[in-house]
Amino acid sequence: MPHRPASVLPKRGARAARLLAATAVLGGLLLATAAPASAAAPERSAPRAAARAEAPATVTVTGSGSASATPDLAILTVGVEATRATAKEAMAAQNTAAEALLAVLRKERVEDRDIRTDSLSLNPVYTQTTGGESKVTGYQASQTFSVKVRDIDRTGQVIGAVNGATGDAGRVNGVVFDVADPKELRAKAREAAYEDAYEKASQHARLSGHRLGRLVSLSEGDSLRPGHGALPSMQADEPNVPLAPGEIEEQVTVSAVFELL
């Protein structure tokens, strides 16, 4: 058996020792870099918790505002109604009265775009007999129209003309005064509502020993236009019906949240 030289063993042992030493150094470096990362995790969560704890106080207020204007538009609800023995006769009489109504509206310079049919109906008319039974004794046909009168000073004249043209078949169910373009009126009411909310929030800030901070949120409720003039159902024999348009009022409410510093 050949004899292996003794000098080979020391070389292999030295190489293995160097590999073990390099592995130990690499492991130490990995541990050193991992430790700061794990230690930094709690430090990142600390500012978030502090921010939540230091959230500023807020105040929530509701503001209301209104604005008024002279109306420049009248909306009439007018119609015709006819009762006859048969449905065909009732509809024919209603048609004749409706044509007369539309003709007089055009004569009064009301444009077609401002005339709209709101309803059309044909219903039986019942009469109770001596025996307690209901019996059909005729038919009633009716049609109602929504009419915009843009020259508001002529509203009474238009109503009188409608009644003159339709006679006993004519009906005036109501009139509402309004503004043709409510945007400007609503904007003024909205501005007044915001100023009201701001003043309330400022007062709450002073009373609580704070200063009023930035606006956090703002929401607007539905606008309201109360007090529309209305005319009850009527039949007028006068050629010009006297009316009082008054003023139109727009109301707006807002809800605002402000920071307190």
Side-chain angles (χ1 to χ4, degrees):
M1 180 176 181
H3 180 70
R4 183 174 298 175
S7 60
V8 176
L9 293 175
K11 290 181 181 180
R12 291 182 179 177
R15 188 180 298 111
R18 285 195 297 271
L19 289 174
L20 289 174
T23 302
V25 172
L26 180 60
L29 291 174
L30 291 175
L31 290 174
T33 55
S38 60
E43 294 178 2
R44 285 196 299 268
S45 61
R48 296 178 183 175
R52 287 194 297 267
E54 296 174 1
T58 60
V59 58
T60 303
V61 292
T62 300
S64 59
S66 62
S68 300
T70 301
D72 57 8
L73 176 71
I75 304 174
L76 307 179
T77 303
V78 297
V80 292
E81 184 179 281
T83 303
R84 299 291 187 273
T86 66
K88 183 177 180 180
E89 291 173 347
M91 283 299 297
Q94 183 277 140
N95 290 342
T96 300
E99 289 172 358
L101 185 151
L102 294 174
V104 77
L105 288 176
R106 296 183 179 106
K107 184 179 179 180
E108 292 296 327
R109 301 194 298 274
V110 178
E111 298 182 17
D112 288 344
R113 67 187 178 98
D114 293 329
I115 305 172
R116 183 189 69 223
T117 296
D118 283 341
S119 67
L120 176 65
S121 64
L122 174 65
N123 299 301
V125 177
Y126 293 94
T127 301
Q128 194 170 20
T129 64
T130 56
E133 297 180 357
S134 294
K135 182 181 179 180
V136 176
T137 57
Y139 289 86
Q140 185 180 80
S142 63
Q143 185 172 185
T144 60
F145 299 87
S146 176
V147 180
K148 293 181 180 180
V149 181
R150 299 185 184 275
D151 186 355
I152 195 171
D153 293 335
R154 301 182 66 254
T155 303
Q157 180 178 332
V158 172
I159 293 175
V162 166
N163 280 277
T166 56
D168 292 339
R171 298 289 184 272
V172 179
N173 299 319
V175 57
V176 173
F177 297 102
D178 206 344
V179 288
D181 187 3
K183 292 179 181 178
E184 183 178 354
L185 187 63
R186 189 173 296 123
K188 291 180 179 179
R190 183 180 295 118
E191 182 177 352
Y194 179 81
E195 290 177 355
D196 183 49
Y198 186 85
E199 290 176 1
K200 289 178 180 178
S202 299
Q203 183 180 16
H204 282 297
R206 290 193 304 270
L207 293 174
S208 59
H210 290 82
R211 291 182 296 106
L212 193 64
R214 68 182 182 90
L215 177 66
V216 177
S217 67
L218 179 69
S219 61
E220 180 177 330
D222 294 334
S223 62
L224 179 66
R225 205 176 305 167
H228 281 195
L231 190 68
S233 178
M234 58 172 283
Q235 289 182 326
D237 297 327
E238 296 293 332
N240 193 353
V241 179
L243 299 172
E247 283 191 337
I248 299 301
E249 183 182 74
E250 184 91 9
Q251 295 180 356
V252 173
T253 60
V254 296
S255 179
V257 180
F258 292 89
E259 282 186 353
L260 294 176
L261 305 178

